[in-house]
Amino acid sequence: MSNLIHLIYCSAAPRPLGREELAALLAGARLHNERHGITGMLLHVDGSFFQVLEGAPDDVERLFARISADPRHDHVTVIIREPVATRAFGEWTMGHAEMTRDDLDGIVGANDFFASGGSLPEIGEGRAKKLLAAFRDGRWRTAPANAVAAAEDATLPPLRYAFAFQPIVHAPTRSIFSHEALIRGPGGENAASILQRSQPVDMHALRERQRIAALEAAARLGLCTRININFQPSDIAHSPTAISSLLDAAGRCGIPPGSIVLEVLESEIIRDSGDFSARMNPYRASGLTFAIDDFGSGYAGLNLLADFQPDLLKIDMNLVRGIERNGPRQAILRGIARTCLDLGIDLIAEGVETVEEYAWFRAEGIELFQGFLLAKPVFDRLSTDFYLP
């Protein structure tokens, strides 16, 4: 049985790199990779790197760790990491070309496509070949940070956002369980307002950048609790890095995956909860935890729990509001609480605004709370202040 993997990634040069510097990078890569039995390819086009690493898993992972820490690579993004039966690149240890987009027209299936005259045996059918085609067509190009900023500056009106953080409090220990990252505009506008202003931008890519930015902001502020970050399942269908890029950012920031809670709206999962569960299980194995947000706002919530059991469930604030005066809602919530208890799911009462609402949930044994009664979202800090009756 083969013990080979392909690790394919893209990255950006944080600054323009001259031909001599690129040649030196390539020469060093060739020497290192030949010693460690790593084959593959390295391309650099218009500030974007695209690389296939092929070899024994431990050797490839060690090399990739070095690449991720190399200041000549920015925004390193894993595209695929998978076992392969045989080498697709023979004994060829590494090659590179600084090409124009026109030069890339024949990149796939060509025996001699490097501008420098280097040759490569034709790549056999497989995922690497398909990803090369995607790179040729302009995808998997990771623009340098200054280019991303320039593109966002060109959006009208300017695309600017920040994060406010709101604590989720564990009542029995009177401690902060987590902080939810809430995207806000420069004037305090909510997330919907920002997204409406950013229609020219790829929404899935924008949300992916925002999740990473939220994590990085929390790390800068000294996060020592969990962090709740909003997530839309449709992003997975449009980007294979929708979650892996967040895990990569967590590694760079020193935040364990077990501290990250991805919040998914009930209405987003309910369309195909079985498929969602299957897609998320590999990420749960990495340590990520999941919460269903606004539970009770849809039409088939209990059906959803039969297919996908989250770690946390946030009760929709419309069910929370005035709960102490509404008998039917009380009966519904007692049933949800019992179901969650049997399934090992922790409940969060979200949007709690009055002492009476808090007291009803607390009397029912609910331990986790979020809302204006306890603490409001704040900018530029992870608040340690909260109120409990």
PDB file of all heavy atoms in Angstrom, residues 8 86 91 120 123 146 215 241 243 272 311 337 353 377 380 387:
ATOM      1  N   ILE A   8      -1.688  20.185  -1.458  1.00  0.00           N
ATOM      2  CA  ILE A   8      -1.719  21.254  -2.459  1.00  0.00           C
ATOM      3  C   ILE A   8      -2.221  22.516  -1.769  1.00  0.00           C
ATOM      4  O   ILE A   8      -3.248  22.494  -1.082  1.00  0.00           O
ATOM      5  CB  ILE A   8      -2.632  20.879  -3.635  1.00  0.00           C
ATOM      6  CG1 ILE A   8      -2.170  19.546  -4.247  1.00  0.00           C
ATOM      7  CG2 ILE A   8      -2.636  21.968  -4.696  1.00  0.00           C
ATOM      8  CD1 ILE A   8      -3.072  19.013  -5.352  1.00  0.00           C
ATOM      9  N   THR A  86       0.191   6.575  -6.352  1.00  0.00           N
ATOM     10  CA  THR A  86       1.520   6.645  -6.962  1.00  0.00           C
ATOM     11  C   THR A  86       1.911   8.099  -7.170  1.00  0.00           C
ATOM     12  O   THR A  86       1.067   8.990  -7.138  1.00  0.00           O
ATOM     13  CB  THR A  86       1.545   5.935  -8.329  1.00  0.00           C
ATOM     14  OG1 THR A  86       0.594   6.577  -9.200  1.00  0.00           O
ATOM     15  CG2 THR A  86       1.203   4.457  -8.199  1.00  0.00           C
ATOM     16  N   GLU A  91      10.299  11.653 -10.785  1.00  0.00           N
ATOM     17  CA  GLU A  91      11.469  12.028  -9.992  1.00  0.00           C
ATOM     18  C   GLU A  91      11.726  13.532 -10.027  1.00  0.00           C
ATOM     19  O   GLU A  91      12.746  14.008  -9.551  1.00  0.00           O
ATOM     20  CB  GLU A  91      12.713  11.282 -10.510  1.00  0.00           C
ATOM     21  CG  GLU A  91      12.606   9.770 -10.393  1.00  0.00           C
ATOM     22  CD  GLU A  91      12.335   9.343  -8.955  1.00  0.00           C
ATOM     23  OE1 GLU A  91      12.984   9.873  -8.033  1.00  0.00           O
ATOM     24  OE2 GLU A  91      11.452   8.483  -8.753  1.00  0.00           O
ATOM     25  N   LEU A 120       8.290  18.945 -17.888  1.00  0.00           N
ATOM     26  CA  LEU A 120       7.605  18.113 -16.902  1.00  0.00           C
ATOM     27  C   LEU A 120       6.827  17.045 -17.638  1.00  0.00           C
ATOM     28  O   LEU A 120       6.064  17.362 -18.548  1.00  0.00           O
ATOM     29  CB  LEU A 120       6.637  18.967 -16.070  1.00  0.00           C
ATOM     30  CG  LEU A 120       5.670  18.237 -15.154  1.00  0.00           C
ATOM     31  CD1 LEU A 120       6.418  17.612 -13.998  1.00  0.00           C
ATOM     32  CD2 LEU A 120       4.627  19.192 -14.631  1.00  0.00           C
ATOM     33  N   ILE A 123       1.146  15.319 -16.713  1.00  0.00           N
ATOM     34  CA  ILE A 123       0.504  14.910 -15.461  1.00  0.00           C
ATOM     35  C   ILE A 123      -0.658  13.982 -15.778  1.00  0.00           C
ATOM     36  O   ILE A 123      -1.484  14.279 -16.631  1.00  0.00           O
ATOM     37  CB  ILE A 123      -0.007  16.131 -14.687  1.00  0.00           C
ATOM     38  CG1 ILE A 123       1.140  17.090 -14.408  1.00  0.00           C
ATOM     39  CG2 ILE A 123      -0.680  15.719 -13.394  1.00  0.00           C
ATOM     40  CD1 ILE A 123       0.688  18.424 -13.889  1.00  0.00           C
ATOM     41  N   ASN A 146      -1.957  43.630   0.420  1.00  0.00           N
ATOM     42  CA  ASN A 146      -2.208  44.993  -0.023  1.00  0.00           C
ATOM     43  C   ASN A 146      -3.159  45.021  -1.208  1.00  0.00           C
ATOM     44  O   ASN A 146      -3.913  45.959  -1.402  1.00  0.00           O
ATOM     45  CB  ASN A 146      -0.891  45.710  -0.358  1.00  0.00           C
ATOM     46  CG  ASN A 146      -0.086  44.985  -1.413  1.00  0.00           C
ATOM     47  OD1 ASN A 146      -0.453  43.901  -1.847  1.00  0.00           O
ATOM     48  ND2 ASN A 146       1.016  45.590  -1.822  1.00  0.00           N
ATOM     49  N   LEU A 215     -11.488  35.712  14.501  1.00  0.00           N
ATOM     50  CA  LEU A 215     -10.592  34.907  15.332  1.00  0.00           C
ATOM     51  C   LEU A 215      -9.308  35.673  15.638  1.00  0.00           C
ATOM     52  O   LEU A 215      -8.827  35.685  16.779  1.00  0.00           O
ATOM     53  CB  LEU A 215     -10.276  33.600  14.608  1.00  0.00           C
ATOM     54  CG  LEU A 215      -9.628  32.502  15.438  1.00  0.00           C
ATOM     55  CD1 LEU A 215     -10.611  31.964  16.463  1.00  0.00           C
ATOM     56  CD2 LEU A 215      -9.159  31.367  14.531  1.00  0.00           C
ATOM     57  N   THR A 241     -12.077  25.557   1.474  1.00  0.00           N
ATOM     58  CA  THR A 241     -11.320  26.074   2.617  1.00  0.00           C
ATOM     59  C   THR A 241     -12.211  26.831   3.606  1.00  0.00           C
ATOM     60  O   THR A 241     -11.705  27.502   4.490  1.00  0.00           O
ATOM     61  CB  THR A 241     -10.197  27.013   2.137  1.00  0.00           C
ATOM     62  OG1 THR A 241     -10.770  28.158   1.472  1.00  0.00           O
ATOM     63  CG2 THR A 241      -9.270  26.302   1.177  1.00  0.00           C
ATOM     64  N   ILE A 243     -13.849  26.082   6.169  1.00  0.00           N
ATOM     65  CA  ILE A 243     -13.567  25.813   7.578  1.00  0.00           C
ATOM     66  C   ILE A 243     -12.076  25.578   7.803  1.00  0.00           C
ATOM     67  O   ILE A 243     -11.514  26.014   8.810  1.00  0.00           O
ATOM     68  CB  ILE A 243     -14.382  24.610   8.087  1.00  0.00           C
ATOM     69  CG1 ILE A 243     -15.883  24.936   8.053  1.00  0.00           C
ATOM     70  CG2 ILE A 243     -13.975  24.230   9.503  1.00  0.00           C
ATOM     71  CD1 ILE A 243     -16.784  23.822   8.535  1.00  0.00           C
ATOM     72  N   ASP A 272     -31.279  20.246   4.635  1.00  0.00           N
ATOM     73  CA  ASP A 272     -30.729  18.891   4.473  1.00  0.00           C
ATOM     74  C   ASP A 272     -29.830  18.600   5.666  1.00  0.00           C
ATOM     75  O   ASP A 272     -28.615  18.644   5.582  1.00  0.00           O
ATOM     76  CB  ASP A 272     -29.944  18.781   3.167  1.00  0.00           C
ATOM     77  CG  ASP A 272     -29.636  17.318   2.814  1.00  0.00           C
ATOM     78  OD1 ASP A 272     -29.742  16.476   3.724  1.00  0.00           O
ATOM     79  OD2 ASP A 272     -29.311  17.045   1.659  1.00  0.00           O
ATOM     80  N   ASP A 311     -23.403  20.640  19.822  1.00  0.00           N
ATOM     81  CA  ASP A 311     -22.882  20.685  21.184  1.00  0.00           C
ATOM     82  C   ASP A 311     -23.688  21.667  22.025  1.00  0.00           C
ATOM     83  O   ASP A 311     -23.851  21.475  23.233  1.00  0.00           O
ATOM     84  CB  ASP A 311     -21.412  21.110  21.156  1.00  0.00           C
ATOM     85  CG  ASP A 311     -20.586  20.179  20.279  1.00  0.00           C
ATOM     86  OD1 ASP A 311     -20.212  19.103  20.762  1.00  0.00           O
ATOM     87  OD2 ASP A 311     -20.344  20.534  19.113  1.00  0.00           O
ATOM     88  N   ALA A 337     -35.805  21.426  26.573  1.00  0.00           N
ATOM     89  CA  ALA A 337     -34.776  21.253  27.598  1.00  0.00           C
ATOM     90  C   ALA A 337     -34.598  19.778  27.944  1.00  0.00           C
ATOM     91  O   ALA A 337     -33.466  19.293  28.105  1.00  0.00           O
ATOM     92  CB  ALA A 337     -35.136  22.051  28.849  1.00  0.00           C
ATOM     93  N   GLU A 353     -33.361  39.779  28.454  1.00  0.00           N
ATOM     94  CA  GLU A 353     -33.361  41.224  28.711  1.00  0.00           C
ATOM     95  C   GLU A 353     -33.925  41.607  30.063  1.00  0.00           C
ATOM     96  O   GLU A 353     -33.733  42.745  30.504  1.00  0.00           O
ATOM     97  CB  GLU A 353     -34.150  41.946  27.607  1.00  0.00           C
ATOM     98  CG  GLU A 353     -33.494  41.862  26.237  1.00  0.00           C
ATOM     99  CD  GLU A 353     -34.212  42.681  25.185  1.00  0.00           C
ATOM    100  OE1 GLU A 353     -35.307  43.230  25.509  1.00  0.00           O
ATOM    101  OE2 GLU A 353     -33.705  42.788  24.047  1.00  0.00           O
ATOM    102  N   PRO A 377     -22.760  43.894  23.799  1.00  0.00           N
ATOM    103  CA  PRO A 377     -21.541  43.750  22.991  1.00  0.00           C
ATOM    104  C   PRO A 377     -20.661  44.989  23.136  1.00  0.00           C
ATOM    105  O   PRO A 377     -21.168  46.117  23.244  1.00  0.00           O
ATOM    106  CB  PRO A 377     -22.072  43.629  21.559  1.00  0.00           C
ATOM    107  CG  PRO A 377     -23.521  43.250  21.702  1.00  0.00           C
ATOM    108  CD  PRO A 377     -23.980  43.881  22.978  1.00  0.00           C
ATOM    109  N   ASP A 380     -13.386  46.371  20.714  1.00  0.00           N
ATOM    110  CA  ASP A 380     -11.970  46.525  21.079  1.00  0.00           C
ATOM    111  C   ASP A 380     -11.581  45.902  22.411  1.00  0.00           C
ATOM    112  O   ASP A 380     -10.506  46.190  22.938  1.00  0.00           O
ATOM    113  CB  ASP A 380     -11.576  48.014  21.086  1.00  0.00           C
ATOM    114  CG  ASP A 380     -11.771  48.644  19.724  1.00  0.00           C
ATOM    115  OD1 ASP A 380     -11.550  47.938  18.719  1.00  0.00           O
ATOM    116  OD2 ASP A 380     -12.144  49.825  19.671  1.00  0.00           O
ATOM    117  N   TYR A 387     -23.550  41.134  34.512  1.00  0.00           N
ATOM    118  CA  TYR A 387     -24.481  41.208  35.632  1.00  0.00           C
ATOM    119  C   TYR A 387     -25.279  39.917  35.714  1.00  0.00           C
ATOM    120  O   TYR A 387     -25.754  39.397  34.708  1.00  0.00           O
ATOM    121  CB  TYR A 387     -25.440  42.386  35.437  1.00  0.00           C
ATOM    122  CG  TYR A 387     -26.642  42.359  36.373  1.00  0.00           C
ATOM    123  CD1 TYR A 387     -26.521  42.709  37.716  1.00  0.00           C
ATOM    124  CD2 TYR A 387     -27.902  41.957  35.893  1.00  0.00           C
ATOM    125  CE1 TYR A 387     -27.620  42.669  38.566  1.00  0.00           C
ATOM    126  CE2 TYR A 387     -28.996  41.924  36.737  1.00  0.00           C
ATOM    127  CZ  TYR A 387     -28.859  42.272  38.066  1.00  0.00           C
ATOM    128  OH  TYR A 387     -29.943  42.230  38.913  1.00  0.00           O
TER     129      TYR A 387
END
